[in-house]
Every structure is written in C-alpha cells, then in structure tokens.
Amino acid sequence: ADGNHLVLEGAAGATLSGQISDADRAAWKALRQQLLSFAAVMAPFKQMTPPRLAKGTGNEYLRLAKLGLGFRALGKADFREFLRMFLINAADVLNDELSDDRLKGLLGFDATLGSWLGPQSPNSLILLLNRLAGEAAGQKAALALPAGGMAAVAEAMAKSALAAGVTIRSNAPVAQILIEADRATGVRLTNGEDLHAATVISAISPKTTFLSLIGPRHLDTGFTNRIRAQKSRGGAAKLHLALKSAPDFKGADLKSRLVIAPSLRAVENAYNPVKYNEVPKAPVMEITLPSAFEPGHAPDGQHLLSAIVQFAPHDPKAGHDAARAEMLANCMAQLETYAPGIGALVTHAELLMPYDIEAAYGMVGGNWHHGELAVEQMLFLRPVPGMAQYSTPIGGLWLASAGTHPGGGISGAA
C-alpha cells in the first residue's frame, strides 16, 4: 500500500502485517469469515445449470433443495444477516466493520473489479461474494496465475480438443449463423465458406450472437428487445509495460498481487468521471508482473508489468486517441507515486481502453463478462430473463460464454 506492507492473501485476503491495529485485525478476521460463509452458500449455484421460473424446464430440483438446506445451515441470525447484506453496497459494510482505509480500499476495488459500479453503488457487495465463491488450485476465495500465463490455458484446452478428434480452425471469423426452418444448420465465414453442423455453440457475446450473426428477422420482437436492453458497459482498461529492470514498489514483493486503491473514496472517485464519459485523474489498478513469477515473459533482467486499470470510459467525450493518451499519463503518474522511478524503466507501453478491447476481441462495450455481471443479470436472469439454461429460441443453437451463467472467471461452468 504505502510502505506499511498491507499483505492480503487470496482474492480478498487473510493475512495482515505492518501498522494495522489489533482491532482491525480482529474485525477483518470476523468479517472475512462471515463473507466466506455466505460465499460458500452461493458457490454451488456457480457450478450448476441455473433454474428457470417456468414448468417443464429441466430444473434440478433435488440440487436446488440441497442448496436451500445450505441456507438453513447458516442459522437464523446469519441467514437474516445474509438477507440484509445480499443487495447492500460494499462501502456501507466495509465502513461499518473496518477502519483502515487501505483495507477498505482493496476490498472496495475487489467488489467492483470488471463491473460498472462503484463501492457505494447498490448491489455491489454481491459481486464481492461472487468473487469469494471462486476457487483456484484447490484454495477457496483465491486467485492464481497458471504456469506459462493465460495463453497456456488455451493451449491446454486445444490439446485436449485435438486429442478428442476435434478440428480447430483459427483466423476464421464467422459472418453469419445459417438458419433453416427456425433451426441453426451451420455458419458462414467472412470468406464466404459455409460449415454445416447439427449443433452450433456460440461462446461470444449474446448481443453479438443474436443481433449481428442472426438478426432480428429470425427472432420475436420481445426477445430482440430484451437482448438489445442487456447492459454491457465495460469500465476496465488493460495496461502493459515493458520494463528494462525490476521496479521498486516501496519494497513490496513482486511475486504478489499489487493493488493501488488507497481508500474507498479513491475507488469511488475513479468511478465517478466515467459515468460522464471522462477519464479519472487517479485511476485504481491491480498489478501483476508475470516475469517475476517465472522466466519466459521478458528477456533476462527485464520485466513485463500487466495491470487492470479502473475505471475507463467506453465512449469518451475527448475522443478515442485523446482519452487513451490522458489515461496512460494518469496511470503512469499513479505508478510513479507507488513505484518511484518506474517511468524511466519503460521501454514500451500499451493501453487497451474498453473501445480497443471491443474492437480487438468483439466484447460488446469492452465488457469482459460479455454483458455486465450485475444482480439483475445474474443466475436465472442471465443473459436475459427466459433464456437462462444455455438453449436459445433457435433450435440447435446454444450459448456458452461469460455472457451466460455463471459469468466471468475461468471455470468452464457454462
């Protein structure tokens, strides 16, 4: 944080060291235990097909009943507290329970990472619970970096698919999903080639799938309007820096997750300008240096810094190029405050704003969840009401992306 070495393990931390009061240590331990108990009740929902509010839709009633027993196991007092906190904002909870600004800032950052919410926005605590319900390397509420970087995950999936006899076509963008008699029969590539199949699975944005690759003429008006109304605002930018030597974040261990979010107010202040399509003066960010964990990401002695920066406008008033330049300058000023001299180490910088992410990767609005992960777009409401179980109004067409339940994260659940 600021040289006092606020150290937090896992997605929202457990171990504190440095100038942290005994009272805050005890309060954080109790709050974390309570949040983890709530997250544990939610976690099974992330690993099952979401229910649909209709008859004959294949709901897993036995599993749902077991999940209901999980809520009962909380006890009356904890269940009442769960209901109270379920739709509350993260800032109120953190201000009630904690006093250390740095700890509250970190948790407020985690609660809003990848969202279009500030810590004071309603329903922001549920996103923190959603993060805590995750698991990495067998550890609950943890984050992990795969050996070889995220590309290694895609490579492992490709090897598994190839071993199962799958043919993989790269650099073959789809222009249209072919439909005959209200049923998907294949896809047409942008080069004009048609590929036919009995089943088509779209793992991209539901908005792109239905509004671009299919088109309204194959869908009823009500469904089309619901898809158009799905919120998909992206507020995160991605920063990459090539460094000629190791930066010094005031003695912090570079083999860790570094977060610049000095207070709840700092996170909220970074969110406020983006609501008006402006760039924040002091963005907050999550930083990793993959090259500090393992070789291969940068030449010997040099480093790669990767950061998720919040918040960034998708449609800036100043225009794309001016907003990107301003955002990069503000990011470097923030980094210079916490890692003095880092600017002199930079040999190359890349900043992807939400509109750059949309253009490069097809994520509508630059939202990496392919549709905002918000309480009104979660579980049986994801991606839109009436279409929660991956099937679509088009026979033979199925969805499988972060735009469906359970949303973002590398889980494979969809």
Side-chain angles (χ1 to χ4, degrees), residues 247-250 260 332 334-343 345:
D248 181 8
F249 282 88
K250 299 187 177 181
I260 297 177
M332 292 309 303
Q334 275 285 71
L335 288 169
E336 197 70 33
T337 299
Y338 294 91
I342 191 172
L345 304 180

Side-chain angles (χ1 to χ4, degrees), residues 75-216:
K76 184 182 293 185
D78 279 346
F79 183 61
R80 186 186 301 116
E81 185 66 4
F82 176 81
L83 292 178
R84 183 185 75 85
M85 296 174 66
F86 191 68
L87 299 180
I88 203 171
N89 71 67
D92 283 351
V93 174
L94 299 175
N95 282 327
D96 285 347
E97 303 295 336
L98 305 170
S99 62
D100 192 286
D101 280 341
R102 298 165 301 164
L103 178 53
K104 290 190 288 185
L106 172 60
L107 296 171
F109 178 88
D110 275 356
T112 57
L113 185 60
S115 72
W116 188 266
L117 298 170
Q120 294 179 339
S121 301
N123 311 327
S124 52
L125 186 72
I126 193 174
L127 299 187
L128 179 59
L129 294 177
N130 185 65
R131 285 173 62 80
L132 291 172
E135 180 177 323
Q139 182 180 341
K140 300 291 185 182
L143 299 175
L145 288 176
M150 289 307 301
V153 177
E155 291 168 4
M157 293 172 67
K159 288 178 181 178
S160 177
L162 291 169
V166 174
T167 299
I168 297 175
R169 293 273 299 271
S170 300
N171 300 312
V174 172
Q176 178 185 351
I177 294 175
L178 302 175
I179 298 175
E180 297 178 11
D182 295 327
R183 183 173 184 85
T185 59
V187 296
R188 177 166 294 155
L189 305 186
T190 53
N191 66 4
E193 180 183 0
D194 287 353
L195 301 175
H196 295 281
T199 301
V200 177
I201 302 170
S202 175
I204 61 173
S205 164
K207 291 177 83 85
T208 302
T209 300
F210 291 110
L211 300 181
S212 298
L213 300 185
I214 294 176

Side-chain angles (χ1 to χ4, degrees), residues 36-37 39 50 52 58 74 81 83 120 143 174 200-201 218 221 226 270 278-279 291 300 303 325 345 353 359 405 410:
L36 286 176
S37 69
R52 285 183 65 182
L74 285 174
E81 185 66 4
L83 292 178
Q120 294 179 339
L143 299 175
V174 172
V200 177
I201 302 170
H218 294 290
T221 302
R226 290 200 298 276
E278 298 173 351
V279 169
S291 50
D300 289 345
H303 282 278
L345 304 180
M353 296 287 275
H405 174 77
I410 311 300

